[in-house]
Every structure is written in structure tokens, then in C-alpha cells.
Amino acid sequence: MFGKRRDKAGAGVQTTGQDLELANSHEPKEAQTHQHKHHRPLYNHNGHKVTRGIHPDGESGRKGIHPHHFVRISARSASKLSMIVNILWPFVPAAIAVRYARPEDHVLIFALNYIAMVPTANLLGFAGQELARKLPKVFGVLVETFLGGIVEIVLFMVLLRKNVDDPAAENYNNFIPVIRAAILGSILANVVLCLGFCFFAGGLRREEQEFDPAISEVGSGLLLTAGFGLMIPAAFFASLRGSTSVDDTPEHLASQVLDISRVTAVVLFIAFLLYTWFQMRTHHSIYDAVLEKDEAKDHDRHKDLKKAKLTLTECILALVIAITCVSLHAVFLVENIEYIVHEKGISDSFMGLILVPLVEKAAENLTAVDEAWDNQMNFALAHVLGATIQTALFNGPLVVIVGWGLHKAMDLNFEIFNAVILILAVIVAGNFLRDGKSNYLEGALLVFIYIIIAIAAFNYPNPVAGAANTAEPSAATGAEAGGHKLRFLR
């Protein structure tokens, strides 16, 4: 493989792999000893001198910001699918302009910002992937997964900030049902739709794909634990709703559910920290070995290694641009959700379970499907299950804890319809992961399940307070529940 490096005079010198080996062999003994100790070559596969602290695979050979290289590399993105998504970038300025030029056109603003979220989320995912290349394998995957979840965190926080609990308030907006549905919808988008596409895409090129139990078993076990934890407040409410006990008034029951949700959120948050420690410290060697073995199976690895890389500074710049755009589009989306739900008849369940998760998970899903296509199923599962676990153990509990601090009654009292779907989805996905193998049939079945869920969510009506299909208690007025006002649905 050929690359470019600079001699002392600054002239470009064409080098080969043998030249690089020879160059390394002429280094002082101290340098060779230091290199052997840390298992890091002085030059990477492209002939670039490896910067201290940067993984050779992520070395760009440049420093600082080069606008031409930055735009060209970002436009190329991580895969062909991601590159096609970049065609949607004109929607970004259009969405911002229409928001201020025609603020009364709610449907157009929602549609443009919904579409604009896709390329900006794609840039966020690509920048995260480029940054992950510069880090150790396991830590890099965790960082990439976390950055991919920023879109979801931003959306949750904007929805929570815009929520107004008091029905008597002029600016009353009850976004908590949408947030709850979006938490479960994000899990479904990953563990059903994205996993299905990964199985299907990988199965098109080979009869069967295998993945390591170190990733699939730990992931499915954590999913079951998270699903169990998330469902406890809803089960508690459903069991005691309509109770004849004197103490179990709607106000008292709502207060108890809120307290249980907050304790559950703290416990799940601790579980996420423990899971992160498990991956990064005590069992990181297992995951390192699995992922390195997966890299060897990558059919396009030689092409990926030859691609130009972003510098560390350019990665940070891309993240800042992407997060800024995502935050703007999230605010504009949330401003128009109430109109879409109440005036256009789109249910809270469809908005939260399907529409919001599809756009927030677009970049992560494209990355995982591309990895499955390249026969890197362990990487694909690490992204799919990692993102799902982050939503269940970190993002969901985080919005409950933040709501606690903002004195907003954000709880985990999910609709029974949503809760049943989640548990069934986790069980089905866990069964497909159990044998450590996948094929296109399993992938297609998971996608079909998601389509059925989407159809059911589209036809699911907005619940009325006190009705059998709602997670909200019945009350005639805005009563106090443990110092927090009860949530009402319009």
C-alpha cells in the first residue's frame, strides 16, 4: 500500500510498506523499545506518522482545520448510504428559513425540520465514527454510540423543557406522553427495525452470519433487565387503578408512581455506569479481541484504511456544527408537534413510537446496517444493542431525573399498549440472538413486526384521562400530587 510522508526538507517522498518497515528499523533502540512496549507503529498504513495518543487507523496525517479536506471527507461520509443522505443538506437552511419566514405554516415547518434532522444526525454519526477511529476499540465504540444518542437526548430535553403541566395555563402543552412513547420507540427502532435490517442486509451477501455471545448475551440480558425496570411503574399503576382503598386516590396513586419512577431511574442509571465499567475496565480485553477479529472479516477494510480521515480538530468542529443544527431542528420540531397531533389527528403513540425515533436513530441505523453488509456483525450488534441499552439505562432515566430537578412530573408510567409491545419485542429479539447466528429471513421477520407495530400505533387513539387505555389518572381538576400537578391529556 502506498502513502505519503515528509522528509526533513519537507519534500514529498513516495513510500511502500517495506520502506516503512525499514524506516522503523532505523529508529534508535529507545524508540523501538518504546514502540514495542505500547504496540504502536511509528507510521500507519498510509505512511502517516502516528501522533501520540491517536490510534493508527484514525491518523489523518494532518493537523488543524483544512476547509477543502473537511468538506470533501464529510460529504463522502462513512458509506454509500450515508453519502446519499447528504443530498438532503439543502433542507437544513430551508427548514431554518421557513421557520422564521412562515411561522404559521406548521405542517411545512415540521416536515422540513423532520427531513433536515436526517443529514445533521448523519454528520453527527460520521464525526463520532471518525473520532472513534482515533481511540482504543472498545472505548471508541462507546464514544461513537454515546454521540449517536445525543440527537435523542436533545429531543427529550427540548420536549421536557417545553412541557407545561397545568391545563389552566395559556401555554399548556403536555409532551410527557410523547416523551414516554419516544423512549420505548427508540428501543423498538433499534432492537426490531435496525436489527432486522442488519440481519437482512448481511444475509443478502452470505448464507449465514455468526456473532460472538460476549456481545449478544450480555446485550440481550441487559435489555430484559431494562425492560423489566421500565415496566414496573406502569404495572404498579395498572394494578392499583380503580382500587377501593381509601389511600389509593388518583392523586396519591400518581404521587406513588412518580416516586417509583424516580427511584427506578436512579437504579437504571447506576446499572448503566456498571455496564460501562464492565466493558471498559474489567472485561475490555474480551471485547477488544471480538472487535479486532471482526475487523479482519471486513470485506472493505482495505478501502476504509486508505480513505482520508478528519483531524481531531475537524472532528470536534463537525460535532459542534451537527449538535447546533440538531438542537435547532429539535426545537422547531417540538414547537409544531402539538399542532400535528391535535389538528392533523396524528396520535401521541405514532408520534412517539414511530416518527420521532425514526429520525433520531437514522445515522446510527445507517452505520450498523453498513457494518452488517461488510460482515462485521459484532460491530453492528455493538452499535444496535449499545444504542438500545443507552436509551433504556441512560437517556430514559436521565430525562426522568432532569424532570425531577425541573419540578416536572416526568414518570415511567407507560401506556399498556406501549408496554406490551416493548416486552414482546425484547423477547422476540432475544430469541433471534440466542443461537449466535442470523440470516435474511430473521431480518425480514423483524422488519415485518415493526411495520405491524407502526400500523397499530397509527390507528391507536389518543387516550382520555381516566379511560381504560391511558396511563393518566382521572381527575376533574388540576389536583396536586405530592407537590406536582397531575398530567392531563387533551
Side-chain angles (χ1 to χ4, degrees):
M1 185 179 296
F2 293 87
K4 285 276 188 179
R5 66 178 176 87
R6 296 276 177 181
D7 60 11
K8 292 182 180 179
V13 180
Q14 193 77 12
T15 62
T16 66
Q18 292 179 340
D19 295 331
L20 295 178
E21 184 178 352
L22 185 61
N24 288 339
S25 68
H26 283 84
E27 292 291 330
K29 289 184 178 181
E30 294 82 7
Q32 293 185 40
T33 303
H34 181 77
Q35 173 187 338
H36 176 73
K37 180 180 178 180
H38 293 278
H39 304 286
R40 286 288 185 269
L42 296 178
Y43 297 93
N44 72 351
H45 40 273
N46 288 327
H48 301 315
K49 188 172 182 178
V50 178
T51 305
R52 183 177 180 181
I54 300 295
H55 194 280
D57 289 357
E59 178 60 60
S60 65
R62 300 180 292 114
K63 291 184 178 180
I65 299 174
H66 301 77
H68 173 70
H69 289 287
F70 175 74
V71 173
R72 180 174 58 85
I73 295 171
S74 299
R76 181 208 68 207
S77 202
S79 63
K80 290 182 179 179
L81 283 175
S82 298
M83 186 168 59
I84 293 172
V85 166
N86 285 330
I87 296 174
L88 300 176
W89 267 100
F91 283 91
V92 174
I96 297 174
V98 170
R99 158 64 176 76
Y100 292 102
R102 302 178 62 180
E104 73 286 348
D105 201 337
H106 300 285
V107 175
L108 182 60
I109 294 172
F110 181 88
L112 288 176
N113 282 279
Y114 189 85
I115 297 172
M117 284 282 285
V118 178
T120 52
N122 185 56
L123 176 62
L124 182 59
F126 175 67
Q129 188 176 31
E130 286 289 293
L131 181 61
R133 289 177 183 271
K134 304 178 186 298
L135 304 172
K137 290 288 185 298
V138 176
F139 183 58
V141 170
L142 291 175
V143 169
E144 184 180 354
T145 302
F146 175 76
L147 290 174
I150 285 182
V151 180
E152 181 174 273
I153 294 174
V154 169
L155 273 170
F156 287 174
M157 294 306 156
V158 173
L159 283 165
L160 184 64
R161 187 69 183 85
K162 294 285 185 179
N163 182 77
V164 178
D165 292 343
D166 188 0
E170 184 179 349
N171 59 339
Y172 168 70
N173 282 307
N174 188 19
F175 289 128
I176 287 180
V178 177
I179 299 174
R180 286 195 297 241
I183 293 173
L184 301 190
S186 297
I187 297 174
L188 291 175
N190 276 312
V191 83
V192 179
L193 183 65
C194 185
L195 185 63
F197 275 130
C198 288
F199 284 176
F200 185 78
L204 291 178
R205 300 184 71 178
R206 50 200 64 84
E207 183 176 340
E208 215 172 43
Q209 285 183 298
E210 296 183 357
F211 39 87
D212 198 280
I215 292 180
S216 61
E217 289 182 4
V218 172
S220 58
L222 276 169
L223 280 179
L224 285 171
T225 302
F228 179 83
L230 290 173
M231 293 305 106
I232 292 298
F236 180 88
F237 177 82
S239 299
L240 296 181
R241 180 177 53 188
S243 173
T244 57
S245 172
V246 176
D247 293 333
D248 290 332
T249 61
E251 295 83 0
H252 183 251
L253 181 58
S255 177
Q256 287 182 312
V257 170
L258 187 59
D259 291 339
I260 293 172
S261 297
R262 289 168 174 174
V263 173
T264 300
V266 172
V267 172
L268 292 178
F269 194 85
I270 294 172
F272 179 79
L273 296 178
L274 186 62
Y275 163 68
T276 304
W277 180 263
F278 178 86
Q279 278 196 312
M280 289 183 56
R281 301 296 298 176
T282 62
H283 290 68
H284 68 93
S285 58
I286 298 175
Y287 290 96
D288 273 333
V290 171
L291 297 179
E292 286 178 5
K293 183 180 178 181
D294 224 37
E295 280 187 337
K297 299 190 295 183
D298 183 5
H299 292 175
D300 296 331
R301 178 165 170 74
H302 62 290
K303 297 179 182 178
D304 290 335
L305 291 176
K306 290 175 66 177
K307 287 180 179 178
K309 310 290 192 302
L310 292 178
T311 65
L312 180 61
T313 309
E314 289 170 343
C315 287
I316 296 173
L317 175 62
L319 288 172
V320 171
I321 293 173
I323 292 173
T324 302
C325 291
V326 161
S327 300
L328 280 174
H329 297 312
V331 171
F332 299 157
L333 268 178
V334 170
E335 287 177 346
N336 294 278
I337 282 180
E338 184 187 10
Y339 179 87
I340 299 298
V341 170
H342 295 296
E343 301 299 328
K344 296 301 178 181
I346 302 297
S347 68
D348 288 333
S349 289
F350 188 73
M351 179 65 70
L353 275 179
I354 307 299
L355 290 182
V356 172
L358 279 181
V359 70
E360 73 186 26
K361 294 296 182 182
E364 288 178 289
N365 291 356
L366 289 175
T367 299
V369 171
D370 181 63
E371 288 167 340
W373 177 260
D374 291 335
N375 201 28
Q376 291 184 286
M377 187 53 74
N378 287 309
F379 267 104
L381 282 182
H383 281 112
V384 172
L385 297 178
T388 309
I389 291 167
Q390 181 181 335
T391 297
L393 299 182
F394 181 79
N395 297 356
L398 179 65
V399 74
V400 174
I401 295 171
V402 171
W404 190 358
L406 295 176
H407 303 291
K408 294 182 182 289
M410 175 65 214
D411 58 24
L412 298 174
N413 190 11
F414 299 102
E415 300 290 335
I416 297 301
F417 169 73
N418 297 343
V420 171
I421 285 177
L422 174 67
I423 294 300
L424 291 178
V426 170
I427 292 174
V428 170
N431 282 330
F432 282 147
L433 292 170
R434 184 177 300 171
D435 63 352
K437 299 177 182 179
S438 65
N439 53 61
Y440 72 88
L441 175 61
E442 292 178 344
L445 293 177
L446 285 173
V447 174
F448 293 157
I449 289 173
Y450 191 83
I451 292 174
I452 295 172
I453 293 174
I455 294 172
F458 182 79
N459 289 280
Y460 192 79
N462 283 333
V464 179
N469 68 329
T470 183
E472 309 295 334
S474 59
T477 60
E480 293 290 329
H484 300 274
K485 292 188 177 181
L486 292 174
R487 282 85 63 217
F488 288 82
L489 295 174
R490 286 185 176 177

